[in-house]
Amino acid sequence: MAPSLASASLLSLAGIAAASASPSPLVVSSPAKVPTGASWSVPHDFASFSFPAHFFKDYAGTISLCWNGCPCDRVWYNASQKIDSYNWYNESSLTAALGIADRVYIGPAFFGGFNNFPGTHWSWQINMGTDYGEEGGLDNAMEVAKLVMDRVQDRLESFEIGNEPEYFVTLGERQENYTIDDYVRDWNKYADAASERVLKGNKYRLDETRFFQGGTFTSGQDEEWNV
Ligand SMILES: *[C@@H]1O[C@H](CO)[C@@H](O)[C@H](O)[C@H]1NC(C)=O
Ligand SMILES: *[C@@H]1O[C@H](CO)[C@@H](O)[C@H](O)[C@H]1NC(C)=O
Ligand SMILES: *[C@@H]1O[C@H](CO)[C@@H](O)[C@H](O)[C@H]1NC(C)=O
């Protein structure tokens, strides 16, 4: 439940921001009763935090324990890597200027970072963005998802697949002709792989097929991607 609640909370914050920026009063009507199928209201004691992969270490500490979040589309797992994570910045990239690493290389110690948050529930974002031109991007992402699941166990709430796909082309993660149809195809491919290779037969009673958080888009401004 947490991921959908988190989304609801983000949407309401976005709504407030839009309303305050508006030059004229915004008229909003709502039904008197909660509609059937409405999402749950956000409990007042609910708190949710999003950690980008490249900053996880700053929050979780370094001592051979570490963890992660949003440029998960830039995560690459290396089982031989001694240090928990290593950020690489391409000085000419658009996102490096914003302090976002272009590549986040993680090793086995990275996953120990979850231990520093006892009792915390997690949603993990599977890398569907960059594969650095190397073979095995999907395999690597599934290996990471499995390691996260085995570490977090029944406190794993969902997998998200890829982040802000309308930026994949701008950020050089997909070719110019990449469309929303391609994204849906990719999303299903990754979801099927996670169901089959990660969730199937898991020991933590996690749902094997309906375990995915909907796609997260940057904004509704790009018409092609405005779903
Ligand atoms: C993985 O890590 C090892 C140890 O640091 C390093 O020698 C190797 O080059 C890395 N492999 C890749 C593909 O980055
Ligand atoms: C660095 O970013 C620039 C601009 O996006 C790109 O052309 C170049 O290929 C990138 N270099 C590497 C090694 O990824
Ligand atoms: C997209 O562009 C690439 C490179 O130009 C090409 O190989 C691929 O076939 C194109 N895909 C579609 C669906 O047109």
Side-chain angles (χ1 to χ4, degrees):
M1 282 306 128
S4 57
L5 292 172
S7 305
S9 131
L10 287 176
L11 286 175
S12 63
L13 286 176
I16 290 164
S20 62
S22 171
S24 52
L26 195 64
V27 182
V28 179
S29 61
S30 64
K33 290 187 176 168
V34 177
T36 318
S39 58
W40 293 9
S41 58
V42 181
H44 291 166
D45 61 352
F46 176 75
S48 167
F49 301 93
S50 175
F51 297 107
H54 60 296
F55 289 148
F56 182 58
K57 175 170 170 162
D58 296 338
Y59 293 97
T62 47
I63 35 161
S64 77
L65 304 171
C66 230
W67 180 111
N68 172 31
C70 172
C72 291
D73 274 335
R74 287 140 185 239
V75 160
W76 191 268
Y77 178 61
N78 176 355
S80 314
Q81 184 173 301
K82 298 282 180 282
I83 56 172
D84 41 35
S85 67
Y86 165 73
N87 295 333
W88 179 81
Y89 293 85
N90 175 351
E91 284 177 6
S92 358
S93 87
L94 293 172
T95 47
L98 304 171
I100 301 173
D102 289 274
R103 303 183 184 191
V104 184
Y105 293 104
I106 62 173
F110 176 84
F111 303 92
F114 287 104
N115 297 354
N116 292 351
F117 297 89
T120 302
H121 288 241
W122 296 95
S123 175
W124 174 262
Q125 189 225 305
I126 290 175
N127 174 10
M128 194 180 89
T130 316
D131 60 9
Y132 311 138
E134 292 179 46
E135 288 292 319
L138 184 145
D139 300 321
N140 195 285
M142 293 304 140
E143 198 174 357
V144 171
K146 177 85 170 55
L147 287 163
V148 170
M149 181 185 76
D150 285 337
R151 176 70 61 160
V152 177
Q153 305 187 353
D154 62 354
R155 289 183 290 115
L156 188 62
E157 294 282 333
S158 67
F159 285 131
E160 182 188 346
I161 301 172
N163 184 52
E164 300 175 353
E166 72 269 47
Y167 274 147
F168 281 177
V169 171
T170 310
L171 299 177
E173 292 170 353
R174 291 293 190 280
Q175 282 163 331
E176 287 292 332
N177 53 15
Y178 194 70
T179 64
I180 198 157
D181 289 339
D182 296 324
Y183 164 67
V184 170
R185 187 201 59 224
D186 280 353
W187 194 97
N188 279 304
K189 181 174 153 191
Y190 275 70
D192 287 347
S195 290
E196 189 60 32
R197 301 198 214 167
V198 180
L199 295 162
K200 191 174 180 180
N202 75 79
K203 294 179 282 187
Y204 319 112
R205 290 192 282 180
L206 305 177
D207 194 294
E208 294 182 6
T209 53
R210 296 176 59 83
F211 199 68
F212 303 101
Q213 183 181 321
T216 307
F217 295 82
T218 316
S219 71
Q221 288 170 2
D222 184 324
E223 276 188 25
E224 187 195 348
W225 290 87
N226 194 348
V227 289

